[in-house]
Amino acid sequence: MVVTTSARAFAQLVAVVLLTSCTQVAVNDVPAHTAARAAHKHRQIFGFTGSEQTFTVPYNVSDVTVVATGGAGGPTYSYYGGSGGLGARVKATIPVTPGETLAVFVGGAGGDSSFYDGGFNGGGTSRGYGGGGASDIRQGGTALDDRVLVAGGGGGAGLNNYGTYGLGGAGGAARGAPGSDGLSKYGYVTAGQGGTGGNQNKGGKGGEGGGCPRYCRYYGSSGSPGSLGEGGAGGTAFADYGGGGGSGYYGGGGGGGGCGYCGDTGSITATGGGGGGGGSSYVEKNAARVKEKRGDAARGDGTIVISW
């Protein structure tokens, strides 16, 4: 049988149609998770350094996905009971301009540079345990007002020299968790109270200091309130200090200090310091696919991962 030119053309047309159909099926059959991985071929991980870091947006990239976790409040080691609040976790896609530089601040855990310091990037100080620092991305500058994404830090625990300490509150999401109150060995002696968490509009309140009505040589002082980007300082006392507030968009309040040398004889029956409140998280309104979770970070310093 002789195949005409028109017949050959028709056969070729059928082959093209079949090939195109098969190709389309193959593309549609790609699993969703594989397509998601292909969408982000690159990523850069930023760990804690104690200073500002930078990220330059690559050419032809108009948005990046950021996953940030805040630093934990102190103490951060398991043999201390792990009583500091954990930092928040925030994930969002933010619009960017090719070639621009983003400022990256990774929060440190409470007590990084010395045992009682607050964590880098705003953690509240304390003579008990410091608050965790927030992790954030800043766009268009390096000031606090330039932050477009913030993962709040956890509050520090109160010190338990003679009483029982209060636990630090977890960082994030829209509001950080409060720190818990310290405890006392005696009903007539009050312990330091926990600081409250920061929110989107203001910092947390500092916890009230402890005392007793019968006799108290050293009353505990109240913790300081949190503020924009800063956790409040923990209250002071004879032996039991309040924990520092965690940093965040607004920081948590510091825990109140306990009291010392309480009782009719003036013996040492001190009460525990209150825990610091956690800092709040924040994501700018132009961001997409936002996910926030309170206290979902690992214990220790924060991290920031940028994918594109």
Side-chain angles (χ1 to χ4, degrees), residues 115-277:
F115 197 69
Y116 305 120
D117 280 355
F120 170 74
N121 204 26
T125 60
S126 171
R127 292 184 67 183
Y129 297 103
S135 295
D136 67 67
I137 296 288
R138 307 183 191 189
Q139 189 175 30
T142 59
L144 291 176
D145 288 341
D146 297 316
R147 295 177 297 173
V148 294
L149 183 146
V150 182
L159 189 63
N160 62 328
N161 196 11
Y162 293 103
T164 302
Y165 55 78
L167 305 180
R175 179 189 295 270
S180 64
D181 298 343
L183 297 177
S184 167
K185 296 180 180 179
Y186 303 95
Y188 61 85
V189 182
T190 60
Q193 295 183 1
T196 64
N199 58 37
Q200 301 298 291
N201 300 308
K202 61 181 179 180
K205 296 180 180 179
E208 293 186 10
C212 60
R214 297 163 79 173
Y215 179 88
C216 188
R217 187 178 302 177
Y218 300 101
Y219 282 86
S221 67
S222 296
S224 300
S227 58
L228 185 70
E230 296 282 342
T236 60
F238 168 73
D240 293 307
Y241 304 97
S247 176
Y249 186 65
Y250 277 93
C259 67
Y261 278 98
C262 299
D264 294 332
T265 62
S267 60
I268 297 178
T269 57
T271 66

Side-chain angles (χ1 to χ4, degrees), residues 6-308:
S6 58
R8 289 196 187 95
F10 176 76
Q12 291 172 353
L13 177 61
V14 170
V16 169
V17 170
L18 290 175
L19 180 59
T20 303
S21 176
C22 291
T23 303
Q24 184 64 42
V25 171
V27 170
N28 290 339
D29 283 348
V30 174
H33 62 84
T34 302
R37 284 199 301 267
H40 293 112
K41 297 181 180 179
H42 309 282
R43 69 174 182 170
Q44 187 168 346
I45 301 173
F46 295 87
F48 172 75
T49 63
S51 60
E52 176 189 345
Q53 303 175 68
T54 59
F55 173 79
T56 301
V57 178
Y59 172 74
N60 207 28
V61 171
S62 58
D63 60 65
V64 294
T65 296
V66 179
V67 178
T69 60
T76 59
Y77 303 104
S78 60
Y79 54 81
Y80 287 118
S83 54
L86 297 179
R89 177 182 296 272
V90 178
K91 180 178 181 180
T93 299
I94 58 176
V96 294
T97 301
E100 75 170 318
T101 298
L102 305 179
V104 178
F105 290 80
V106 178
D112 277 328
S113 54
S114 70
F115 197 69
Y116 305 120
D117 280 355
F120 170 74
N121 204 26
T125 60
S126 171
R127 292 184 67 183
Y129 297 103
S135 295
D136 67 67
I137 296 288
R138 307 183 191 189
Q139 189 175 30
T142 59
L144 291 176
D145 288 341
D146 297 316
R147 295 177 297 173
V148 294
L149 183 146
V150 182
L159 189 63
N160 62 328
N161 196 11
Y162 293 103
T164 302
Y165 55 78
L167 305 180
R175 179 189 295 270
S180 64
D181 298 343
L183 297 177
S184 167
K185 296 180 180 179
Y186 303 95
Y188 61 85
V189 182
T190 60
Q193 295 183 1
T196 64
N199 58 37
Q200 301 298 291
N201 300 308
K202 61 181 179 180
K205 296 180 180 179
E208 293 186 10
C212 60
R214 297 163 79 173
Y215 179 88
C216 188
R217 187 178 302 177
Y218 300 101
Y219 282 86
S221 67
S222 296
S224 300
S227 58
L228 185 70
E230 296 282 342
T236 60
F238 168 73
D240 293 307
Y241 304 97
S247 176
Y249 186 65
Y250 277 93
C259 67
Y261 278 98
C262 299
D264 294 332
T265 62
S267 60
I268 297 178
T269 57
T271 66
S280 62
S281 298
Y282 168 81
V283 180
E284 62 147 336
K285 63 181 180 180
N286 293 324
R289 296 180 286 279
V290 177
K291 294 182 179 180
E292 302 179 65
K293 192 169 183 180
R294 178 190 291 170
D296 195 42
R299 185 160 298 283
D301 301 324
T303 59
I304 290 180
V305 180
I306 300 178
S307 303
W308 66 97

